[in-house]
Amino acid sequence: MDNIEQNYEDFISTVSHELRTPLTSIRGFSQTMLSSWDKIDEDTKKKFLKIIEEQSQRLIHLVENMLAVTKLQSQKNLIVYNEFDIKPVIEQTVSIVKSQYPAQKFELNIIPDIKVFADKDKFQQIITNLVENSAKYSMTAYTTKISAYSKEKEVIIKVSNIGIGIDEKDYEKIFTKFSRIDNPLTRKVQGSGLGLYITKNLTEKMGGRISVNSFVLEGESGLSEITFTLSMPVRTLEEQARIKCNQ
Ligand SMILES: Nc1ncnc2c1ncn2[C@@H]1O[C@H](COP(=O)(O)OP(=O)(O)OP(=O)(O)O)[C@@H](O)[C@H]1O
Ligand SMILES: [Mg+2]
């Protein structure tokens, strides 16, 4: 078996496993409800339905992410370059994530009038994944910080939260397909382990870079500050024209 075939088989086996887990749970809870309807009280029925709803949500999210992964590999996934101001895009993204995680606090420090030359939808997808992660993997008592500024030929965006740290040996691993770090916080929230893989791919396709850094906070009983740094290149008008021409 060659490498491509092996990768494909690994991918299919991981996908089947990821799909089977929520499906088994949906089937199990609906079968129990159907066969024992009169024996289960109202509260338990509600609890079971909640599980079914959550697991269906997990399946939808997984399928959406898998489609995004397939699109990354397809020629059709064209990047539509335009110059745009990042501040409103980041602000809008944060307010969407905030509505999904109302208990989470966010602090924005974004220098106005910073423009990047990139695909706006894909940029928004990148920011969504990072901000969503910071909400998912934060201790609720702590504020997530999002900052953006420009530095020489780069635009730097940082998303930083306090939670359970990432070991240096896992810095690369979390950007690969289906990778999740097992700890009490990740066990509590759902995820397919595809978000950062998609994020890194989209970033690099647009000429950017992304990295993570995690450092232990003294006296905070094992908590760390985890910072994702996204760097997008500043393009001269000539470079912009050349990129548009090559599309
Ligand atoms: N802000 C963060 N703080 C702490 N750990 C993080 C953070 N972001 C990501 N991680 C770790 O990296 C793993 C991979 O993240 P990724 O976004 O790829 O997947 P996910 O969030 O588990 O699932 P998905 O994004 O597909 O719903 C997470 O499971 C978590 O262990
Ligand atoms: Mg994620």
Side-chain angles (χ1 to χ4, degrees):
M1 202 186 298
D2 63 22
N3 244 347
I4 295 174
E5 253 178 80
Q6 182 63 51
N7 279 346
Y8 183 71
E9 286 218 343
D10 289 350
F11 182 71
I12 295 292
S13 101
T14 314
V15 168
S16 320
H17 172 79
E18 294 291 319
L19 291 174
R20 193 173 295 135
T21 315
L23 279 173
T24 309
S25 161
I26 292 171
R27 189 182 57 184
F29 283 99
S30 29
Q31 278 175 340
T32 309
M33 283 217 293
L34 283 170
S35 60
S36 326
W37 185 259
D38 296 329
K39 288 180 232 130
I40 330 176
D41 61 54
E42 290 286 300
D43 279 354
T44 313
K45 278 180 191 152
K46 260 203 188 131
K47 214 167 85 191
F48 285 5
L49 280 173
K50 184 99 193 82
I51 296 173
I52 292 173
E53 199 225 353
E54 276 169 12
Q55 294 301 316
S56 321
Q57 198 48 50
R58 178 175 164 189
L59 270 180
I60 291 170
H61 178 78
L62 183 65
V63 170
E64 275 169 1
N65 269 349
M66 285 191 313
L67 281 176
V69 169
T70 323
K71 260 177 130 186
L72 286 175
Q73 282 137 11
S74 129
Q75 291 296 327
K76 284 187 220 109
N77 189 31
L78 278 185
I79 295 184
V80 183
Y81 284 97
N82 274 305
E83 197 179 48
F84 60 89
D85 188 345
I86 60 170
K87 194 172 188 258
V89 182
I90 298 177
E91 282 171 351
Q92 195 198 10
T93 308
V94 172
S95 68
I96 295 171
V97 177
K98 200 171 164 42
S99 67
Q100 291 157 349
Y101 297 88
Q104 211 58 52
K105 292 188 284 293
F106 297 92
E107 190 183 294
L108 272 67
N109 186 3
I110 301 165
I111 307 291
D113 292 325
I114 300 180
K115 296 204 168 53
V116 296
F117 183 71
D119 186 311
K120 195 170 167 181
D121 286 346
K122 294 190 169 60
F123 178 79
Q124 182 149 27
Q125 198 179 345
I126 292 168
I127 303 295
T128 304
N129 285 344
L130 294 179
V131 177
E132 222 170 55
N133 277 350
S134 73
K136 270 161 68 169
Y137 306 116
S138 261
M139 294 293 179
T140 28
Y142 294 89
T143 305
T144 288
K145 296 194 172 126
I146 298 145
S147 61
Y149 55 93
S150 48
K151 184 185 134 200
E152 290 159 25
K153 291 214 72 190
E154 290 175 294
V155 169
I156 312 278
I157 298 146
K158 286 184 187 280
V159 181
S160 182
N161 65 282
I162 292 174
I164 299 175
I166 301 169
D167 275 353
E168 206 172 329
K169 67 169 175 38
D170 294 323
Y171 281 4
E172 301 268 320
K173 192 181 143 203
I174 55 167
F175 292 101
T176 59
K177 269 184 225 151
F178 296 115
S179 61
R180 304 197 77 213
I181 311 285
D182 185 38
N183 65 41
L185 259 183
T186 47
R187 247 171 274 147
K188 242 178 29 193
V189 289
Q190 288 178 2
S192 63
L194 290 173
L196 286 177
Y197 172 75
I198 297 166
T199 301
K200 186 178 161 81
N201 264 271
L202 291 177
T203 303
E204 290 177 353
K205 274 194 171 179
M206 298 191 290
R209 281 176 292 118
I210 185 160
S211 61
V212 66
N213 211 290
S214 166
F215 78 91
V216 180
L217 296 171
E218 297 281 331
E220 292 279 350
S221 59
L223 290 182
S224 296
E225 182 170 43
I226 303 117
T227 305
F228 283 83
T229 306
L230 173 70
S231 152
M232 295 297 291
V234 173
R235 307 283 194 193
T236 60
L237 285 177
E238 199 189 323
E239 283 167 338
Q240 295 190 11
R242 200 173 309 133
I243 291 172
K244 283 234 175 207
C245 262
N246 288 335
Q247 277 196 314

Short mmCIF file of all heavy atoms in Angstrom, two decimals, residues 61 65 129-130 132-138 159 161 163-166 174-176 179-183 186 190-197 226 228, ligand 1:
data_model
loop_
_atom_site.label_atom_id
_atom_site.label_comp_id
_atom_site.label_asym_id
_atom_site.label_seq_id
_atom_site.Cartn_x
_atom_site.Cartn_y
_atom_site.Cartn_z
N HIS A 61 -21.86 19.64 12.62
CA HIS A 61 -20.59 20.35 12.71
C HIS A 61 -19.46 19.53 12.05
O HIS A 61 -18.63 20.05 11.31
CB HIS A 61 -20.30 20.61 14.18
CG HIS A 61 -19.01 21.30 14.45
ND1 HIS A 61 -18.84 22.64 14.26
CD2 HIS A 61 -17.81 20.82 14.87
CE1 HIS A 61 -17.60 22.96 14.54
NE2 HIS A 61 -16.96 21.87 14.92
N ASN A 65 -17.31 20.51 8.77
CA ASN A 65 -15.85 20.59 8.80
C ASN A 65 -15.20 19.65 7.80
O ASN A 65 -14.20 19.99 7.18
CB ASN A 65 -15.33 20.27 10.21
CG ASN A 65 -15.21 21.53 11.05
OD1 ASN A 65 -15.32 22.63 10.53
ND2 ASN A 65 -15.00 21.36 12.34
N ASN A 129 -12.73 30.33 13.89
CA ASN A 129 -12.17 29.12 14.51
C ASN A 129 -11.33 29.46 15.74
O ASN A 129 -11.43 28.80 16.77
CB ASN A 129 -11.32 28.34 13.51
CG ASN A 129 -12.18 27.60 12.49
OD1 ASN A 129 -13.38 27.43 12.69
ND2 ASN A 129 -11.58 27.18 11.40
N LEU A 130 -10.52 30.52 15.62
CA LEU A 130 -9.65 30.88 16.74
C LEU A 130 -10.45 31.41 17.93
O LEU A 130 -10.21 31.04 19.08
CB LEU A 130 -8.61 31.92 16.31
CG LEU A 130 -7.57 31.46 15.28
CD1 LEU A 130 -6.63 32.60 14.92
CD2 LEU A 130 -6.77 30.27 15.82
N GLU A 132 -13.66 30.95 18.54
CA GLU A 132 -14.51 29.87 19.05
C GLU A 132 -13.70 28.96 19.99
O GLU A 132 -14.16 28.62 21.08
CB GLU A 132 -15.03 29.05 17.88
CG GLU A 132 -16.49 28.66 18.00
CD GLU A 132 -16.96 28.08 16.68
OE1 GLU A 132 -16.33 27.09 16.19
OE2 GLU A 132 -17.91 28.61 16.14
N ASN A 133 -12.48 28.63 19.56
CA ASN A 133 -11.62 27.81 20.43
C ASN A 133 -11.34 28.52 21.74
O ASN A 133 -11.39 27.91 22.81
CB ASN A 133 -10.27 27.53 19.74
CG ASN A 133 -10.35 26.36 18.78
OD1 ASN A 133 -11.35 25.64 18.75
ND2 ASN A 133 -9.32 26.15 18.01
N SER A 134 -11.04 29.83 21.65
CA SER A 134 -10.68 30.54 22.89
C SER A 134 -11.88 30.54 23.84
O SER A 134 -11.71 30.50 25.05
CB SER A 134 -10.18 31.94 22.59
OG SER A 134 -11.25 32.75 22.20
N ALA A 135 -13.09 30.56 23.28
CA ALA A 135 -14.29 30.51 24.15
C ALA A 135 -14.48 29.10 24.70
O ALA A 135 -14.80 28.91 25.88
CB ALA A 135 -15.51 30.94 23.36
N LYS A 136 -14.24 28.10 23.85
CA LYS A 136 -14.45 26.71 24.27
C LYS A 136 -13.45 26.25 25.32
O LYS A 136 -13.77 25.50 26.22
CB LYS A 136 -14.32 25.78 23.05
CG LYS A 136 -15.61 25.54 22.30
CD LYS A 136 -15.37 25.04 20.89
CE LYS A 136 -14.80 23.66 20.80
NZ LYS A 136 -14.83 23.11 19.41
N TYR A 137 -12.19 26.67 25.15
CA TYR A 137 -11.13 26.12 26.01
C TYR A 137 -10.64 27.11 27.06
O TYR A 137 -9.52 27.00 27.54
CB TYR A 137 -9.98 25.61 25.13
CG TYR A 137 -10.46 24.62 24.09
CD1 TYR A 137 -10.38 24.89 22.73
CD2 TYR A 137 -11.06 23.43 24.48
CE1 TYR A 137 -10.86 23.99 21.79
CE2 TYR A 137 -11.55 22.53 23.54
CZ TYR A 137 -11.44 22.82 22.20
OH TYR A 137 -11.93 21.93 21.29
N SER A 138 -11.50 28.08 27.41
CA SER A 138 -11.16 29.06 28.45
C SER A 138 -11.81 28.67 29.75
O SER A 138 -12.89 28.09 29.75
CB SER A 138 -11.78 30.41 28.10
OG SER A 138 -10.89 31.26 27.52
N VAL A 159 -4.90 35.94 19.53
CA VAL A 159 -6.07 35.52 20.30
C VAL A 159 -5.54 34.74 21.48
O VAL A 159 -4.84 33.74 21.31
CB VAL A 159 -7.02 34.63 19.44
CG1 VAL A 159 -8.23 34.21 20.25
CG2 VAL A 159 -7.45 35.37 18.19
N ASN A 161 -6.13 33.18 25.50
CA ASN A 161 -7.07 32.81 26.57
C ASN A 161 -6.35 32.05 27.68
O ASN A 161 -5.22 31.60 27.50
CB ASN A 161 -8.23 31.97 26.02
CG ASN A 161 -7.79 30.64 25.48
OD1 ASN A 161 -7.27 30.56 24.37
ND2 ASN A 161 -7.97 29.60 26.27
N GLY A 163 -6.43 28.82 30.13
CA GLY A 163 -7.05 27.51 30.24
C GLY A 163 -6.00 26.46 30.55
O GLY A 163 -4.95 26.79 31.13
N ILE A 164 -6.26 25.23 30.10
CA ILE A 164 -5.27 24.18 30.32
C ILE A 164 -4.25 24.24 29.19
O ILE A 164 -4.62 24.22 28.01
CB ILE A 164 -5.97 22.81 30.41
CG1 ILE A 164 -6.93 22.84 31.61
CG2 ILE A 164 -4.95 21.68 30.53
CD1 ILE A 164 -7.78 21.62 31.79
N GLY A 165 -3.00 24.37 29.57
CA GLY A 165 -1.94 24.62 28.58
C GLY A 165 -1.73 23.52 27.57
O GLY A 165 -2.21 22.39 27.72
N ILE A 166 -1.02 23.88 26.51
CA ILE A 166 -0.66 22.91 25.47
C ILE A 166 0.84 22.66 25.59
O ILE A 166 1.63 23.62 25.62
CB ILE A 166 -1.01 23.47 24.07
CG1 ILE A 166 -2.52 23.78 23.98
CG2 ILE A 166 -0.60 22.51 22.95
CD1 ILE A 166 -2.93 24.57 22.75
N ILE A 174 -1.56 19.97 17.09
CA ILE A 174 -2.94 20.47 17.13
C ILE A 174 -3.40 21.04 15.79
O ILE A 174 -4.60 21.21 15.57
CB ILE A 174 -3.16 21.54 18.24
CG1 ILE A 174 -2.16 22.69 18.10
CG2 ILE A 174 -3.08 20.92 19.62
CD1 ILE A 174 -2.55 23.88 18.96
N PHE A 175 -2.44 21.32 14.88
CA PHE A 175 -2.84 21.84 13.56
C PHE A 175 -3.06 20.72 12.55
O PHE A 175 -3.26 20.99 11.37
CB PHE A 175 -1.77 22.81 13.03
CG PHE A 175 -1.67 24.09 13.82
CD1 PHE A 175 -0.67 24.28 14.76
CD2 PHE A 175 -2.61 25.10 13.64
CE1 PHE A 175 -0.59 25.46 15.50
CE2 PHE A 175 -2.54 26.29 14.37
CZ PHE A 175 -1.54 26.46 15.30
N THR A 176 -2.97 19.46 13.01
CA THR A 176 -3.18 18.36 12.07
C THR A 176 -4.62 17.83 12.21
O THR A 176 -5.29 18.11 13.20
CB THR A 176 -2.16 17.22 12.28
OG1 THR A 176 -2.30 16.76 13.63
CG2 THR A 176 -0.74 17.69 12.05
N SER A 179 -6.94 16.16 15.48
CA SER A 179 -6.16 16.08 16.72
C SER A 179 -6.78 16.93 17.81
O SER A 179 -7.08 18.11 17.62
CB SER A 179 -4.72 16.50 16.47
OG SER A 179 -4.73 17.82 16.03
N ARG A 180 -7.00 16.31 18.95
CA ARG A 180 -7.50 17.01 20.12
C ARG A 180 -6.60 16.61 21.29
O ARG A 180 -6.10 15.50 21.34
CB ARG A 180 -8.94 16.59 20.44
CG ARG A 180 -9.92 16.78 19.29
CD ARG A 180 -11.36 16.76 19.76
NE ARG A 180 -11.73 18.01 20.39
CZ ARG A 180 -12.59 18.12 21.40
NH1 ARG A 180 -13.14 17.04 21.91
NH2 ARG A 180 -12.88 19.29 21.92
N ILE A 181 -6.40 17.54 22.21
CA ILE A 181 -5.57 17.23 23.37
C ILE A 181 -6.52 16.79 24.48
O ILE A 181 -7.46 17.52 24.80
CB ILE A 181 -4.77 18.47 23.84
CG1 ILE A 181 -4.05 19.15 22.67
CG2 ILE A 181 -3.82 18.12 24.98
CD1 ILE A 181 -2.84 18.47 22.16
N ASP A 182 -6.25 15.63 25.02
CA ASP A 182 -7.17 15.13 26.04
C ASP A 182 -6.89 15.80 27.39
O ASP A 182 -5.81 15.68 27.94
CB ASP A 182 -7.00 13.61 26.16
CG ASP A 182 -8.02 13.03 27.12
OD1 ASP A 182 -9.18 13.52 27.10
OD2 ASP A 182 -7.67 12.13 27.90
N ASN A 183 -7.86 16.55 27.89
CA ASN A 183 -7.77 17.11 29.24
C ASN A 183 -9.22 17.41 29.71
O ASN A 183 -10.15 17.34 28.90
CB ASN A 183 -6.84 18.34 29.29
CG ASN A 183 -7.35 19.52 28.49
OD1 ASN A 183 -8.53 19.84 28.50
ND2 ASN A 183 -6.44 20.16 27.76
N THR A 186 -11.21 19.85 27.38
CA THR A 186 -11.58 19.39 26.04
C THR A 186 -12.63 18.28 26.12
O THR A 186 -13.46 18.16 25.23
CB THR A 186 -10.38 18.90 25.20
OG1 THR A 186 -9.59 18.04 25.99
CG2 THR A 186 -9.53 20.03 24.70
N GLN A 190 -17.50 19.73 22.81
CA GLN A 190 -17.41 18.92 21.61
C GLN A 190 -16.48 19.54 20.58
O GLN A 190 -16.31 20.75 20.54
CB GLN A 190 -18.79 18.80 21.00
CG GLN A 190 -19.68 17.89 21.83
CD GLN A 190 -21.07 17.82 21.26
OE1 GLN A 190 -21.36 18.40 20.23
NE2 GLN A 190 -21.92 17.09 21.93
N GLY A 191 -15.93 18.70 19.75
CA GLY A 191 -15.08 19.21 18.69
C GLY A 191 -14.63 18.07 17.81
O GLY A 191 -14.55 16.92 18.26
N SER A 192 -14.37 18.39 16.53
CA SER A 192 -13.96 17.33 15.61
C SER A 192 -12.45 17.29 15.45
O SER A 192 -11.91 16.37 14.84
CB SER A 192 -14.62 17.56 14.25
OG SER A 192 -14.16 18.78 13.71
N GLY A 193 -11.75 18.28 15.99
CA GLY A 193 -10.30 18.31 15.83
C GLY A 193 -9.88 18.73 14.42
O GLY A 193 -8.75 18.50 14.00
N LEU A 194 -10.80 19.37 13.68
CA LEU A 194 -10.48 19.79 12.31
C LEU A 194 -10.29 21.30 12.19
O LEU A 194 -9.69 21.79 11.25
CB LEU A 194 -11.60 19.35 11.35
CG LEU A 194 -11.70 17.85 11.07
CD1 LEU A 194 -12.95 17.54 10.25
CD2 LEU A 194 -10.47 17.33 10.34
N GLY A 195 -10.83 22.04 13.18
CA GLY A 195 -10.83 23.51 13.10
C GLY A 195 -9.46 24.11 12.81
O GLY A 195 -9.32 24.91 11.89
N LEU A 196 -8.46 23.72 13.59
CA LEU A 196 -7.13 24.33 13.41
C LEU A 196 -6.43 23.84 12.14
O LEU A 196 -5.62 24.56 11.56
CB LEU A 196 -6.24 24.08 14.64
CG LEU A 196 -6.59 24.88 15.88
CD1 LEU A 196 -5.70 24.49 17.05
CD2 LEU A 196 -6.46 26.38 15.62
N TYR A 197 -6.75 22.63 11.72
CA TYR A 197 -6.19 22.12 10.46
C TYR A 197 -6.69 22.99 9.30
O TYR A 197 -5.90 23.45 8.46
CB TYR A 197 -6.62 20.66 10.27
CG TYR A 197 -6.26 20.10 8.92
CD1 TYR A 197 -4.94 19.75 8.62
CD2 TYR A 197 -7.21 19.96 7.91
CE1 TYR A 197 -4.59 19.26 7.38
CE2 TYR A 197 -6.88 19.47 6.66
CZ TYR A 197 -5.57 19.13 6.40
OH TYR A 197 -5.23 18.66 5.15
N ILE A 226 -2.72 30.71 26.71
CA ILE A 226 -2.51 30.11 25.39
C ILE A 226 -2.75 31.19 24.35
O ILE A 226 -3.83 31.80 24.32
CB ILE A 226 -3.49 28.93 25.16
CG1 ILE A 226 -3.31 27.90 26.28
CG2 ILE A 226 -3.26 28.26 23.81
CD1 ILE A 226 -4.50 27.70 27.10
N PHE A 228 -2.64 32.25 20.27
CA PHE A 228 -2.52 31.93 18.85
C PHE A 228 -2.14 33.22 18.13
O PHE A 228 -2.78 34.25 18.32
CB PHE A 228 -3.82 31.36 18.29
CG PHE A 228 -4.03 29.93 18.70
CD1 PHE A 228 -4.57 29.62 19.93
CD2 PHE A 228 -3.65 28.89 17.86
CE1 PHE A 228 -4.73 28.29 20.33
CE2 PHE A 228 -3.81 27.57 18.24
CZ PHE A 228 -4.34 27.26 19.47
N1 LIG B 1 -7.53 28.31 22.71
C1 LIG B 1 -7.17 27.09 23.08
N2 LIG B 1 -6.81 26.83 24.36
C2 LIG B 1 -6.45 25.59 24.74
N3 LIG B 1 -6.42 24.53 23.91
C3 LIG B 1 -6.77 24.73 22.63
C4 LIG B 1 -7.16 26.02 22.14
N4 LIG B 1 -7.45 25.91 20.83
C5 LIG B 1 -7.26 24.63 20.51
N5 LIG B 1 -6.86 23.89 21.58
C6 LIG B 1 -6.55 22.45 21.58
O1 LIG B 1 -6.29 22.06 20.25
C7 LIG B 1 -7.20 21.03 19.83
C8 LIG B 1 -7.50 21.16 18.35
O2 LIG B 1 -8.30 22.32 18.09
P1 LIG B 1 -9.28 22.33 16.82
O3 LIG B 1 -9.91 23.67 16.76
O4 LIG B 1 -8.50 21.85 15.66
O5 LIG B 1 -10.33 21.20 17.14
P2 LIG B 1 -11.61 21.21 18.11
O6 LIG B 1 -11.86 22.56 18.68
O7 LIG B 1 -11.38 20.10 19.07
O8 LIG B 1 -12.76 20.80 17.11
P3 LIG B 1 -13.45 21.69 15.96
O9 LIG B 1 -12.73 23.01 15.87
O10 LIG B 1 -13.27 20.89 14.73
O11 LIG B 1 -14.85 21.82 16.39
C9 LIG B 1 -8.41 21.20 20.74
O12 LIG B 1 -9.13 20.01 20.87
C10 LIG B 1 -7.72 21.62 22.06
O13 LIG B 1 -7.24 20.47 22.71
#
